[in-house]
Amino acid sequence: MHQLISLVIVLAFFLNLVYSQSLNNLNDVFSSKEKNELKEEAREMFYHAYRAYMDNAFPADELQPLSCKGRIRGISASRGDLDDTLGNFSMTLVDTLDTLVILGDFEEFESAVKLVIKNVQFDNDIIVSVFETNIRMLGGLLSAHILAEYIQKEAHMMIWYRGELLEMAKDLGYRLLPAFNTSTGIPHARINLKYGMKSEALKHSRETCTACAGTILLEFAALSRLSGEPIFEAKAHAAMDALWKIRNRSSNLMGTVVNVHSGDWIRRDSGVGAGIDSYYEYLLKSYILLGDERYLSRFNKHYNAVMKYVRQGPIFLDVHMHRPHTKSKNFMDALLAFWPGLQVLSGDLKPAVQTHEMLYQVMQMYKFIPEAFTYDFQIHWGQYHLRPEFIESTYFLYRATGDHYYLHVGKKALKTIQKYTKVPCGYAAVNDIRTGKHEDRMDSFLLSETIKYLYLLFSDDEDLPLNIDDFIFTTEAHLLPLSLGKLSNHTGSMHKDDDDNHAIDLDFMRSCPSPNKLFPETVRRPLRDLVTASCPRISVANRLRAAEFQANNADHLRAIFDMGVTMVSLGNGKVQLLHSFYNAKSVEEAERGLLFMQEMVELSKSNAVPSSELHAVTFRHPTTGDEIALSAGPSHFSPDIVDPIKSKLVFAEPFHLCTDLQNKDEISGKIAIIERGDCTFVDKARRAMNAGASAVIVIDNVPDTSIHNSPPFAMSGDGTDDVKIPTCFLFTVEANTLREALNLKNDLEITLSSMNNVNSKGPQESNKERKAGN
């Protein structure tokens, strides 16, 4: 029964959201003029940051926008592992090259390429992240090489270029290869650019993350196919095969940290955020670029597992890969914002719209999506590092749907970045979005991804110097042409493990191509209904209502299961209700589930009680004479206490009072004590009232609960307000205090009153109650 459940409802945050714009305005069609103005503003953002870097930081890897100087490894103050991104190889410029082409600035691109060729070298005695160096540096060089040749052909510029960037990429690729020399084929997380794995600091290297090892193939395959050196692609395939072999074969989930020597999992958390995110991305994109069906099969099996175990409605909470029904975290990180964009690419648009909408509302709550936030949408980590993932998903949703809603979302993101992160020397990350304090940090992905996706979002096809549909974006938003798959096909001749099921499995077919149009307003609307209190337009006939729900009723449990609602025990008598469109029996049942959850949120909200509405159970201790006041929760179905009620106490028989009362004569004129459980609160109160009781105290049946460690709540009724006697609720610790006094004096007299009356006379709570509640 719903009264017996202390709810932790995942979607409750929606009730506290206020939109900064009206919903109608968000659906207005963008004019060409406004869209073009925003495109040009994105261009200006790029050059503000790019010029700040080139004038004040180049050839350093990054710009420090507050101190207006370059961040140089070994000279600038160390940031620990965060500096593994830096290799003293002008990372921001290399990472930014292809954005210049998208902006149509061929002259600056040509000048920048010359600077890279002249100044960048990799023979540095420095330890770097294999993952970051691959996606930022190797990917940047390869994309720039491809676009340089494109400009030669299409614009008849850069006639002097002879593949220098490709040679640099090959040099860097060979420097990364020693990281793959492990017994599993899974690469080390870090490597010394000059000495490989022979560096003393890497002697005990053994751990890497799933994303670190699984986000190599696109760049390495492109390098092999452009250079004719198959070893890069072969090593990347072997790493992906090794990762696939160590998945949990029961759940098809992956952990986040693995031992590269043994293949044992070190961290078994499984989700879609930090540590694992781009592994999923590269499975699907490797299929798209290379045409290797094993990657589609693997992606679909992982995707199905994620949507079954990790996704809870529009949110994603990490689980244990080997115990997928058990949550391992109560917070999400900002990196998962890439997931809706990946879902667009896979063709599964409806859940993409749902999760994106959730993220957008979180953004509106805090200006930015915090680096991590809890399942009830409170800030866990308050940083904002100018991340691109949410804007990336916004761009892909707009491309897939043509819905101008996403232009409004992009405008909101752009204007917020401009207002809160722009500084005279570039753009500064936010150290804490609650205070707005800046951090002296501007990651290269601001130029390579964040602003690039904003510019693309507001651009029409004719604004761009190339057909963007001919390319796939790497995880760092570098462009690789789909034609690479035709250059050669090393994957087709490679051995395929028996682990891979290459037969068509209809259960997993959610793959390309995506439909050109979807009207996601119909998907966003049920989420907004939780804000606006307008119900989804579905039949309400024979629908289970939250107020009627009983947890011990098998029919009710079956009904909420069909609606996509699952109930997870949290211990101490509490359960968590989770709703998922994905698990509902039908679309109509899913919408009924949303309505049920909305009612539960309202019910939970109405049951929460401020301290000013609590009742007080007051008596004098039989031995010490101290006056003790115990806090008690009220009910929705009984009258308020106007005048204090003084009376003796009698335990009901049976104690639960879910059947006829056996000691009516003793109860008459007394305050009845009844234990929680087996039937509704209001049924207990009715039976006591019909026997002549003057009031009712219901005591908890869950061990160790207390008003000090549990939120007070008001007991709910069934819609019929026929109970005429006051009814209140005592948690276990407070009830035990009352029981101890009754054991000492069985004719103990108590006073039942409003806590306001007690507070107005001054503090009455004894030391004994305070100690018991701690």
Side-chain angles (χ1 to χ4, degrees):
M1 63 206 68
H2 69 278
Q3 295 99 327
L4 303 184
I5 301 173
S6 179
L7 289 169
V8 182
I9 299 182
V10 171
L11 298 180
F13 84 107
F14 286 112
L15 294 170
N16 299 317
L17 291 178
V18 177
Y19 285 98
S20 60
Q21 304 179 55
S22 72
L23 297 179
N24 289 333
N25 287 342
L26 281 176
N27 290 315
D28 286 345
V29 174
F30 249 63
S31 67
S32 297
K33 180 175 181 291
E34 184 176 11
K35 191 178 176 186
N36 186 65
E37 287 172 351
L38 288 166
K39 179 193 71 176
E40 292 307 313
E41 186 170 356
R43 183 194 298 274
E44 291 169 6
M45 290 172 68
F46 173 84
Y47 283 110
H48 177 69
Y50 178 74
R51 290 300 174 199
Y53 167 77
M54 293 302 295
D55 294 344
N56 302 284
F58 178 80
D61 284 319
E62 287 180 354
L63 169 68
Q64 294 178 263
L66 300 182
S67 51
C68 209
K69 61 183 181 181
R71 187 183 300 280
I72 302 172
R73 186 88 172 265
I75 297 177
S76 302
S78 174
R79 300 176 297 172
D81 291 344
L82 189 61
D83 282 344
D84 288 347
T85 303
L86 312 177
N88 290 342
F89 38 33
S90 302
M91 180 178 64
T92 293
L93 182 58
V94 173
D95 210 7
T96 302
L97 291 173
D98 57 6
T99 308
L100 289 165
V101 176
I102 286 178
L103 293 171
D105 194 346
F106 294 171
E107 290 184 1
E108 183 61 30
F109 173 74
E110 181 174 14
S111 174
V113 168
K114 289 179 178 178
L115 285 174
V116 169
I117 294 171
K118 180 180 179 181
N119 293 280
V120 175
Q121 55 89 28
F122 304 114
D123 193 29
N124 304 327
D125 183 8
I126 196 167
I127 292 173
V128 297
S129 161
V130 173
F131 164 74
E132 297 287 1
T133 303
N134 175 64
I135 66 171
R136 301 199 201 198
M137 293 297 299
L138 188 61
L141 291 169
L142 291 171
S143 180
H145 162 71
I146 291 162
L147 295 175
E149 292 194 334
Y150 174 85
I151 289 172
Q152 274 187 337
K153 179 180 177 183
E154 299 296 329
H156 306 291
M157 295 176 62
M158 298 183 68
I159 306 303
W160 56 268
Y161 181 71
R162 292 292 183 270
E164 289 88 346
L165 295 177
L166 179 59
E167 287 302 312
M168 294 176 69
K170 190 161 66 170
D171 175 31
L172 180 57
Y174 275 114
R175 293 178 186 277
L176 296 178
L177 277 183
F180 291 81
N181 294 334
T182 63
S183 56
T184 61
I186 298 171
H188 289 277
R190 299 183 301 157
I191 195 165
N192 186 297
L193 287 173
K194 188 177 185 73
Y195 299 111
M197 296 306 299
K198 296 178 181 179
S199 171
E200 184 65 25
L202 298 176
K203 185 176 180 179
H204 301 292
S205 172
R206 64 186 184 92
E207 297 179 7
T208 195
C209 71
T210 304
C212 301
T215 313
I216 303 288
L217 182 52
L218 291 186
E219 291 83 2
F220 269 41
L223 180 56
S224 282
R225 298 185 181 210
L226 291 169
S227 69
E229 299 284 351
I231 187 171
F232 304 109
E233 185 171 348
K235 290 288 188 181
H237 280 302
M240 294 294 272
D241 290 343
L243 288 172
W244 175 247
K245 286 179 181 177
I246 61 173
R247 75 194 185 283
N248 184 278
R249 302 195 180 211
S250 175
S251 68
N252 273 329
L253 293 173
M254 305 287 285
T256 52
V257 179
V258 64
N259 185 312
V260 300
H261 300 300
S262 66
D264 295 331
W265 289 108
I266 295 171
R267 286 191 56 186
R268 297 172 179 246
D269 303 55
S270 190
V272 296
I276 195 169
D277 48 355
S278 48
Y279 164 72
Y280 296 129
E281 180 184 1
Y282 270 40
L283 283 174
L284 181 58
K285 290 183 176 179
S286 293
Y287 163 70
I288 294 170
L289 183 66
L290 308 177
D292 193 327
E293 291 182 1
R294 73 177 131 167
Y295 293 115
L296 177 61
S297 173
R298 292 175 186 180
F299 171 79
N300 282 329
K301 288 173 182 175
H302 282 318
Y303 182 80
N304 190 60
V306 166
M307 297 298 280
K308 181 177 181 180
Y309 299 118
V310 181
R311 181 177 184 254
Q312 303 292 341
I315 74 172
F316 291 80
L317 290 174
D318 283 15
V319 300
H320 294 290
M321 59 177 283
H322 55 300
R323 288 185 283 117
H325 293 289
T326 304
K327 304 301 176 191
S328 61
K329 291 180 182 176
N330 70 341
F331 64 88
M332 298 163 273
D333 60 74
L335 289 173
L336 68 77
F338 91 100
W339 187 258
L342 187 62
Q343 289 181 305
V344 170
L345 196 60
S346 75
D348 202 5
L349 270 66
K350 182 175 180 178
V353 170
Q354 292 168 344
T355 297
H356 180 274
E357 182 67 15
M358 176 272 293
L359 291 165
Y360 180 47
Q361 295 190 40
V362 171
M363 188 189 91
Q364 292 185 101
M365 289 173 69
Y366 299 115
K367 298 185 181 70
F368 301 104
I369 296 174
E371 189 68 4
F373 53 94
T374 61
Y375 70 89
D376 57 350
F377 303 91
Q378 302 302 306
I379 293 175
H380 185 75
W381 297 324
Q383 303 93 335
Y384 171 67
H385 293 146
L386 305 168
R387 290 201 183 279
E389 286 80 11
F390 176 72
I391 298 168
E392 173 187 359
S393 288
T394 303
Y395 165 70
F396 281 113
L397 276 164
Y398 176 65
R399 291 285 294 181
T401 67
D403 188 346
H404 281 219
Y405 176 86
Y406 296 107
L407 296 177
H408 287 281
V409 174
K411 177 182 177 180
K412 177 76 172 178
L414 182 150
K415 295 294 185 181
T416 304
I417 292 171
Q418 286 280 68
K419 183 175 181 180
Y420 295 104
T421 72
K422 187 176 182 179
V423 294
C425 196
Y427 290 86
V430 181
N431 184 259
D432 192 327
I433 61 178
R434 289 162 291 201
T435 64
K437 181 181 178 182
H438 284 133
E439 185 177 345
D440 201 7
R441 172 178 177 180
M442 190 182 90
D443 286 87
S444 66
F445 53 65
L446 173 73
L447 291 165
S448 70
E449 297 185 79
T450 306
I451 298 178
K452 179 186 290 174
Y453 281 125
L454 281 172
Y455 183 83
L456 287 170
L457 176 64
F458 297 116
S459 297
D460 294 322
D461 289 344
E462 56 268 24
D463 296 327
L464 302 175
L466 42 78
N467 183 358
I468 209 73
D469 292 331
D470 290 339
F471 296 83
I472 194 168
F473 289 103
T474 69
T475 195
E476 191 73 7
H478 293 308
L479 278 70
L480 296 179
L482 295 173
S483 57
L484 276 176
K486 299 177 182 178
L487 290 181
S488 59
N489 191 4
H490 298 296
T491 62
S493 61
M494 295 186 69
H495 174 70
K496 299 182 191 295
D497 274 342
D498 292 337
D499 284 340
D500 287 314
N501 179 8
H502 296 284
I504 295 176
D505 189 340
L506 295 179
D507 287 340
F508 301 116
M509 293 306 291
R510 291 188 185 84
S511 304
C512 304
S514 300
N516 290 327
K517 293 288 182 182
L518 175 81
F519 299 97
E521 173 61 19
T522 60
V523 180
R524 293 191 298 263
R525 171 56 54 185
L527 297 176
R528 291 183 190 152
D529 288 335
L530 293 169
V531 183
T532 62
S534 61
C535 301
R537 293 190 293 273
I538 60 171
S539 170
V540 296
N542 301 319
R543 183 179 66 81
L544 177 64
R545 299 179 184 277
E548 302 164 348
F549 175 64
Q550 295 183 1
N552 58 352
N553 186 312
D555 290 336
H556 289 184
L557 293 175
R558 192 177 303 111
I560 67 168
F561 180 80
D562 288 344
M563 291 188 288
V565 178
T566 55
M567 191 165 63
V568 181
S569 175
L570 300 177
N572 293 328
K574 297 180 181 180
V575 299
Q576 184 178 34
L577 291 184
L578 304 170
H579 180 253
S580 170
F581 270 97
Y582 193 75
N583 293 331
K585 188 176 181 180
S586 65
V587 173
E588 187 178 69
E589 289 289 352
E591 291 182 348
R592 284 182 177 141
L594 267 179
L595 192 55
F596 178 84
M597 291 295 285
Q598 177 187 346
E599 291 177 348
M600 275 295 188
V601 170
E602 293 292 345
L603 193 60
S604 178
K605 183 181 178 183
S606 66
N607 284 350
V609 179
S611 59
S612 61
E613 295 181 12
L614 293 175
H615 293 336
V617 177
T618 310
F619 58 92
R620 290 205 175 273
H621 195 273
T623 57
T624 66
D626 291 339
E627 185 174 288
I628 298 175
L630 305 174
S631 298
S635 74
H636 287 307
F637 54 79
S638 64
D640 293 333
I641 302 175
V642 179
D643 298 318
I645 299 171
K646 272 190 177 183
S647 181
K648 295 180 180 179
L649 298 170
V650 176
F651 288 95
E653 296 178 8
F655 199 15
H656 283 176
L657 198 52
C658 293
T659 56
D660 292 341
L661 190 64
Q662 296 175 9
N663 59 338
K664 289 185 179 180
D665 294 341
E666 296 178 48
I667 289 285
S668 180
K670 308 290 194 311
I671 297 176
I673 300 181
I674 305 169
E675 188 177 43
R676 175 184 189 174
D678 292 349
C679 61
T680 62
F681 293 125
V682 68
D683 283 343
K684 299 174 190 289
R686 284 192 185 110
R687 289 189 174 93
M689 179 185 68
N690 292 335
S694 61
V696 169
I697 297 175
V698 179
I699 64 175
D700 203 358
N701 61 352
V702 179
D704 301 325
T705 61
S706 169
I707 195 76
H708 299 278
N709 61 27
S710 301
F713 67 94
M715 296 177 287
S716 295
D718 56 9
T720 303
D721 296 332
D722 56 351
V723 175
K724 306 302 182 186
I725 59 174
T727 305
C728 65
F729 179 85
L730 280 179
F731 284 107
T732 303
V733 172
E734 287 72 33
N736 287 341
T737 300
L738 180 60
R739 280 176 152 176
E740 289 170 6
L742 280 169
N743 288 336
L744 294 171
K745 185 178 181 181
N746 58 15
D747 61 345
L748 182 72
E749 187 175 71
I750 71 156
T751 300
L752 193 60
S753 61
S754 167
M755 185 59 78
N756 282 335
N757 293 338
V758 175
N759 290 338
S760 66
K761 298 175 184 177
Q764 299 293 314
E765 184 184 56
S766 73
N767 289 333
K768 184 170 183 179
E769 187 196 352
R770 282 194 292 270
K771 183 176 181 181
N774 289 339

